Amino acid sequence: MQNNISFSLWCDFIEREFLENDFTKMIEGGIIEGATSNPAIFQKSFLEESYREQKESLKGKNPKEIYEALAKSDIQRAAELLMPIYTNNPNDGYVSIEVDPNLCQDSKGTIEEGVRLFKEIGYPNVMIKIPATKAGFVAMEELISQGISVNATLVFTKEQTIECMEAFNRGYENLKKTTKKESKDFPRAVVSIFVSRFDRKCDSILKENGIPVATLGVKNAQHLYHIINDYSLPCVRALFASTGVKDDSLDPIYYIKELYHQYAINTAPLATIEAFMKVEALQETYLPSYEELDEYFKVVANAGVDLQKVSSELLEQGLEDFKNAFAKILESLA
């Protein structure tokens, strides 16, 4: 589906056979413009038959080396398939790979692994995904300074968003001092705002208090989208993640429609993309003002939702989920 607001749909799924079939068709059909991955996605994908031959060829290596070899092969293929999009429009055509989630509090380790993975994969349209932690902000700045594109992930709060944007801004300033490149050729960055997890955690409270369900995640995402846009960094975009619906009463593309904003990205699971492909056209979504959003947050707070506390819990849970998925991958490859 074509749109005129510079909205981009990315695919939140990577798997070897999928890349050669439906993924390729979605690119050719103009449905998707990028892709994202995470340890939970690879955990499921690596169990498929299509990986058996490469896994056998890697026997004798340690589990993390096997994991990286499998992941890098997939990321390289996705990057290759997306390269025509990137060449035509360097704001799109990216695929993300996450650093080891156990490094989330280790800035030096994150930088070293991010730089290494980027160089070993060898494609310019690869984003290194880094959790938005204190150590992560340091790593984001350094990778941008080195000309490496970054996906800041697990973003839930205003504070995280500001830290990401400040890190990117410093990274771009450093890059300007050390390169003759024009800003149009600078690495890109996205701030991955997680959406539906708020609703899964808080909808029961909202419902009890007569507040429409499935609204907290959207309003929070719109608030952070405002902050990102206020920085006016031309190489940074808001990316809405965790946008698959878990509530059958919601439209399968609910989180795409509610966040169909200018210059935004939505990375969606396959079921959501398949539903999106059946839609002929969408209208740009109304974006509430800061004042309107503040009023909403007051109502939610009065209902007993401590947004800061919920956000902190979601971040900790997200980090734990990725660590657990990564541990399971390594266990399966041992």
Side-chain angles (χ1 to χ4, degrees):
M1 180 180 71
Q2 298 298 314
N3 69 81
N4 59 3
I5 66 164
S6 300
F7 168 90
S8 301
L9 183 65
W10 291 7
C11 179
D12 194 27
F13 183 67
I14 296 282
E15 191 276 327
R16 193 153 294 179
E17 282 193 13
F18 168 72
L19 289 175
E20 302 304 329
N21 296 289
D22 289 350
F23 185 77
T24 300
K25 290 174 186 174
M26 287 175 182
I27 292 172
E28 292 171 348
I31 303 298
I32 60 172
E33 294 89 11
T36 51
S37 68
N38 62 48
I41 288 171
F42 281 133
Q43 181 199 343
K44 294 174 184 174
S45 294
F46 289 173
L47 297 174
E48 297 296 327
E49 177 66 20
S50 52
Y51 294 86
R52 183 174 60 83
E53 187 176 334
Q54 189 181 7
K55 283 196 281 191
E56 287 181 356
S57 74
L58 294 165
K59 280 183 178 175
K61 294 187 178 294
N62 69 50
K64 186 168 179 181
E65 288 174 328
I66 298 172
Y67 159 77
E68 284 194 1
L70 298 175
K72 285 188 293 187
S73 292
D74 283 0
I75 297 298
Q76 285 171 328
R77 182 57 177 147
E80 180 183 19
L81 292 167
L82 289 163
M83 185 58 76
I85 296 174
Y86 169 80
T87 302
N88 184 56
N89 173 17
N91 292 317
D92 271 314
Y94 289 89
V95 58
S96 298
I97 182 169
E98 188 163 344
V99 294
D100 182 335
N102 294 299
L103 297 171
C104 63
Q105 307 301 343
D106 178 355
S107 56
K108 182 173 181 288
T110 297
I111 292 165
E112 289 174 352
E113 181 157 298
V115 171
R116 177 176 60 79
L117 286 173
F118 182 78
K119 288 180 177 177
E120 289 174 359
I121 291 167
Y123 281 83
N125 56 331
V126 169
M127 282 184 164
I128 300 300
K129 190 187 276 192
I130 300 173
T133 62
K134 187 175 180 180
F137 304 134
V138 175
M140 292 172 199
E141 176 183 344
E142 180 58 29
L143 263 60
I144 289 291
S145 299
Q146 294 194 34
I148 298 171
S149 295
V150 172
N151 178 338
T153 191
L154 289 173
V155 175
F156 298 94
T157 69
K158 171 184 176 181
E159 291 75 19
Q160 283 180 295
T161 303
I162 291 171
E163 290 280 9
C164 288
M165 297 305 291
E166 291 291 338
F168 292 146
N169 194 34
R170 289 191 300 269
Y172 288 123
E173 289 301 315
N174 293 338
L175 195 57
K176 286 175 188 174
K177 296 172 186 174
T178 58
T179 183
K180 294 180 181 179
K181 285 183 179 179
E182 297 181 36
S183 58
K184 67 180 179 64
D185 299 318
F186 280 2
R188 274 19 181 200
V190 297
V191 179
S192 290
I193 304 163
F194 278 52
V195 184
S196 69
R197 295 187 184 204
F198 280 100
D199 299 334
R200 296 203 295 275
K201 192 172 181 68
C202 299
D203 268 357
S204 60
I205 299 174
L206 300 193
K207 191 173 183 180
E208 287 171 11
N209 288 272
I211 303 169
V213 298
T215 54
L216 180 56
V218 169
K219 301 296 186 188
N220 185 67
Q222 290 172 325
H223 183 222
L224 304 189
Y225 170 83
H226 264 304
I227 294 169
I228 293 165
N229 288 348
D230 285 349
Y231 270 86
S232 298
L233 291 180
C235 296
V236 184
R237 298 170 74 184
L239 182 149
F240 301 121
S242 180
T243 55
V245 299
K246 300 296 189 289
D247 183 345
D248 291 341
S249 69
L250 295 175
D251 183 329
I253 63 166
Y254 173 78
Y255 290 109
I256 295 181
K257 290 197 300 185
E258 292 296 309
L259 294 166
Y260 196 67
H261 293 309
Q262 178 72 30
Y263 202 50
I265 304 166
N266 193 308
T267 186
L270 284 183
T272 305
I273 293 173
E274 287 164 0
F276 178 80
M277 289 167 67
K278 298 172 185 175
V279 177
E280 289 187 11
L282 287 179
Q283 295 297 314
E284 183 176 357
T285 309
Y286 171 72
L287 180 65
S289 65
Y290 276 121
E291 292 73 23
E292 290 171 301
L293 291 167
D294 285 343
E295 283 302 313
Y296 171 86
F297 293 135
K298 286 177 186 174
V299 171
V300 170
N302 289 336
V305 174
D306 183 336
L307 190 57
Q308 200 65 36
K309 181 172 180 286
V310 168
S311 298
S312 178
E313 290 171 353
L314 288 172
L315 173 59
E316 289 305 313
Q317 186 60 57
L319 291 169
E320 204 57 37
D321 287 346
F322 284 167
K323 287 178 186 177
N324 290 339
F326 197 71
K328 288 178 181 175
I329 294 173
L330 298 188
E331 186 181 328
S332 71
L333 297 174

